[in-house]
């Protein structure tokens, strides 16, 4: 019988922050995949190696974690005063679907750098030496991200001495500004969809939990660690090897998604795994990070652990960091309370791999909280470039 030959598609494999993804220029994709739809989803699933019942991604570019099962499309921007459009797909590991409902903050770092590498930024906007300001339109959530990308001899500088907990080697620092990151769009959303800084969230099978539900960076449900039997010092293995714990977190996520208006029925949550995120917070406590490094209580403002795609993240999602920084800046939220209360424009929080500092500028306007921007530093590095191959009958 005849078997289809493989086709090859130009692609670049990049680490951005504490994530990795396969990056494509829109113009390089097969014609059927240049528009949203089943063909594009099938391509990305095959590129990553999903769905994989073995949860290993042996036959694809994925790494069998939510941090490494990602695809990105960049193109010259269709939006005035922006350089590139950045579209992100979170590929499910064990199910045949790609979630387009949110952004990846970590890969936003790589989006700015890749835009320059890929020739998508006007050369007149790139200094020979200095910092290129790349104006990124995040197409999933219709928001602006400003990436400050270091440039040396006209090329993106990737090496440097900036250290990021959760990443093994130092690299060049890229500063990201997430502009107006709260959800105040046409669908009637707001930074606090319920209208409250703290809610009583009824979770079937668990009970009633205090929760801060915020849409900034990415929809996120925050609960207190102590209310669910944790200290906030947990590492990935302690949560991800506990099937019952993961079921409880999913129950909290579904209840939060319903209360935030992100879904109408619990069943819809299965097709929206990327959002909302679930995070639990606690006051500072000394703990040992996954690297063996001691994180002193006095070095952080609070502790945060967050789940992505049903598993505890090994560090912290960039978009969730935006939610953390924003919630911390608003007196009365659970995040702000864990950090000691009061007004603040930045926090340093402890996560499983170490610490991260994030800033946010929040203010009240006509009784409603708004955030103008959130700021944090990450890094990015190209790991491989060339072509990715998939069987010709993939899509």
């Amino acid at each position: 019988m005849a078997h289809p030959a493989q086709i090859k598609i130009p692609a670049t494999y990049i680490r951005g922050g504490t994530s990795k993804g396969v990056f494509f220029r829109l113009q390089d994709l097969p014609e059927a995949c240049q528009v949203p739809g089943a063909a594009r989803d099938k391509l990305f699933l095959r590129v990553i190696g999903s769905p994989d019942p073995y949860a290993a991604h042996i036959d694809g570019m994925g790494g069998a974690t939510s941090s490494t099962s990602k695809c990105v499309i960049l193109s010259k921007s269709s939006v005035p005063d922006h350089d590139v459009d950045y579209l992100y797909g979170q590929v499910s590991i064990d199910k045949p679907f790609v979630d387009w409902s949110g952004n990846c903050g970590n890969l936003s770092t790589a989006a700015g750098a890749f835009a320059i590498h890929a020739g998508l930024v006007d050369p007149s906007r790139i200094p020979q030496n200095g910092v290129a300001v790349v104006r990124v339109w995040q197409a999933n959530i219709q928001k602006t991200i400003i990436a400050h990308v270091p440039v040396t001899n006209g090329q993106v500088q990737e090496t440097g001495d900036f250290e990021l907990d959760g990443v093994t080697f130092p690299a060049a620092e890229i500063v990201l500004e997430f502009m107006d990151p709260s959800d105040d769009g046409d669908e009637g959303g707001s930074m606090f969809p319920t209208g409250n800084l703290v809610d009583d969230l009824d979770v079937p099978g668990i009970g009633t939990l205090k929760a801060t539900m915020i849409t900034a960076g990415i929809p996120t449900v925050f609960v207190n660690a102590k209310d669910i039997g944790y200290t906030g010092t947990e590492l990935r293995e302690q949560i991800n090897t506990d099937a019952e714990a993961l079921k409880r977190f999913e129950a909290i996520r579904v209840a939060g998604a319903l209360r935030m208006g992100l879904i109408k029925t619990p069943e819809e949550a299965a097709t929206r795994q990327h959002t909302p995120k679930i995070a639990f917070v606690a006051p500072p406590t000394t703990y040992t990070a996954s690297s063996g490094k001691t994180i002193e209580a006095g070095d952080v403002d609070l502790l945060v652990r967050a789940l992505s795609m049903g598993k505890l993240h090994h560090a912290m999602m960039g978009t969730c960091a935006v939610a953390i920084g924003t919630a911390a800046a608003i007196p009365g939220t659970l995040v702000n309370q864990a950090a000691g209360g009061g007004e603040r424009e930045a926090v340093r929080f402890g996560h499983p791999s170490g610490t991260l500092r994030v800033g946010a500028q929040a203010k009240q306007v006509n009784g409603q909280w708004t955030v103008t921007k959130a700021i944090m530093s990450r890094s990015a590095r190209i790991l491989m470039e060339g072509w990715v191959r998939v069987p010709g009958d993939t899509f």
Side-chain angles (χ1 to χ4, degrees), residues 191-260:
M191 187 187 299
F192 297 99
T194 68
N196 303 314
L197 300 184
V198 179
D199 282 280
D200 289 325
L201 180 64
D202 294 323
V203 183
I206 295 177
T208 301
L209 299 173
K210 294 294 184 183
T212 289
M213 290 172 276
I214 188 171
T215 303
I218 200 164
T220 306
V221 179
F222 291 101
V223 297
N224 288 318
K226 64 179 181 180
D227 292 346
I228 54 174
Y230 295 116
T231 63
T233 63
E234 289 76 16
L235 301 184
R236 182 165 53 172
E237 294 76 13
Q238 292 169 262
I239 302 296
N240 293 345
T241 57
D242 187 341
E244 289 303 313
L246 295 177
K247 288 181 181 178
R248 290 193 295 272
F249 279 116
E250 181 61 9
I252 297 170
R253 192 183 79 85
V254 172
L258 286 166
R259 191 72 176 272
M260 296 173 81

Side-chain angles (χ1 to χ4, degrees), residues 34 57-58 63 83 93 97 106 111 133 147 150 156 160 200 202 205 222 231 241 255 261 316 323 333 346-347 371 378:
Q34 291 186 15
H57 280 157
I58 295 300
D83 298 299
I93 296 170
F97 82 96
N106 278 300
V133 179
V156 173
D200 289 325
D202 294 323
F222 291 101
T231 63
T241 57
M316 183 55 63
T333 69
V347 289
V371 58
R378 317 298 269 172

Side-chain angles (χ1 to χ4, degrees), residues 30-325:
E31 185 174 353
C33 303
Q34 291 186 15
V35 294
R40 177 183 287 179
D41 287 2
K42 289 178 181 178
L43 171 63
F44 285 0
L45 284 161
R46 196 67 171 93
V47 165
I48 293 299
S50 291
D52 184 2
Y54 304 105
H57 280 157
I58 295 300
D59 200 25
M61 297 293 294
T65 69
S66 66
S67 303
T68 55
S69 305
K70 304 169 182 278
C71 288
V72 169
I73 303 172
L74 261 72
S75 59
K76 282 187 175 292
S77 188
S78 58
V79 179
D81 299 320
H82 290 75
D83 298 299
V84 292
D85 290 350
Y86 153 49
L87 186 65
Y88 162 69
Q90 176 72 59
V91 181
S92 175
I93 296 170
D94 59 350
K95 296 179 177 63
F97 82 96
V98 181
D99 195 331
W100 301 96
S101 66
N103 178 33
C104 175
N106 278 300
L107 291 190
S108 299
T109 316
F114 179 69
I116 298 174
H117 282 298
L120 297 173
V121 178
D122 185 338
S124 66
R125 291 184 44 75
I126 305 171
Q128 183 66 15
N129 292 284
V131 176
V133 179
V134 182
R135 303 163 301 184
V136 179
W137 179 250
Q138 214 303 316
N140 301 75
I141 59 173
Q142 307 283 288
K143 293 290 183 178
T144 299
I145 301 170
I146 307 296
H148 299 263
V149 183
V151 174
T152 300
N153 297 325
Q155 302 294 317
V156 173
Q157 178 188 328
E158 296 181 280
T159 57
D161 55 10
F162 173 72
E163 295 186 352
L164 178 63
D165 286 339
V167 177
T168 307
F169 303 106
E173 180 181 12
I174 296 176
V175 177
L176 292 181
E177 296 179 89
F178 295 83
M179 310 304 295
D180 183 27
S182 64
D183 182 3
D184 52 4
D186 296 335
E187 296 181 357
S190 65
M191 187 187 299
F192 297 99
T194 68
N196 303 314
L197 300 184
V198 179
D199 282 280
D200 289 325
L201 180 64
D202 294 323
V203 183
I206 295 177
T208 301
L209 299 173
K210 294 294 184 183
T212 289
M213 290 172 276
I214 188 171
T215 303
I218 200 164
T220 306
V221 179
F222 291 101
V223 297
N224 288 318
K226 64 179 181 180
D227 292 346
I228 54 174
Y230 295 116
T231 63
T233 63
E234 289 76 16
L235 301 184
R236 182 165 53 172
E237 294 76 13
Q238 292 169 262
I239 302 296
N240 293 345
T241 57
D242 187 341
E244 289 303 313
L246 295 177
K247 288 181 181 178
R248 290 193 295 272
F249 279 116
E250 181 61 9
I252 297 170
R253 192 183 79 85
V254 172
L258 286 166
R259 191 72 176 272
M260 296 173 81
L262 298 174
I263 58 176
K264 292 182 173 61
T265 67
E267 291 73 24
E268 287 183 52
T271 58
R272 192 184 176 114
Q273 291 186 347
H274 183 49
T275 55
K277 302 301 186 188
I278 298 296
F280 53 102
V281 299
T285 301
T286 298
Y287 69 98
T288 302
S290 56
S291 64
K293 175 183 176 182
T294 298
I295 307 299
E296 299 289 348
D299 293 337
V300 294
D301 298 299
L302 75 159
L303 307 180
V304 190
R305 302 295 189 263
L307 284 83
S308 177
M309 299 294 284
K311 296 292 181 69
L312 189 75
H313 196 276
H314 70 101
M316 183 55 63
M317 305 81 81
T319 48
C320 196
V322 172
I324 293 165

Side-chain angles (χ1 to χ4, degrees), residues 190 195 362-371:
S190 65
K363 61 182 179 180
Q364 270 189 308
V365 178
N366 298 323
Q368 298 292 319
W369 282 101
T370 64
V371 58

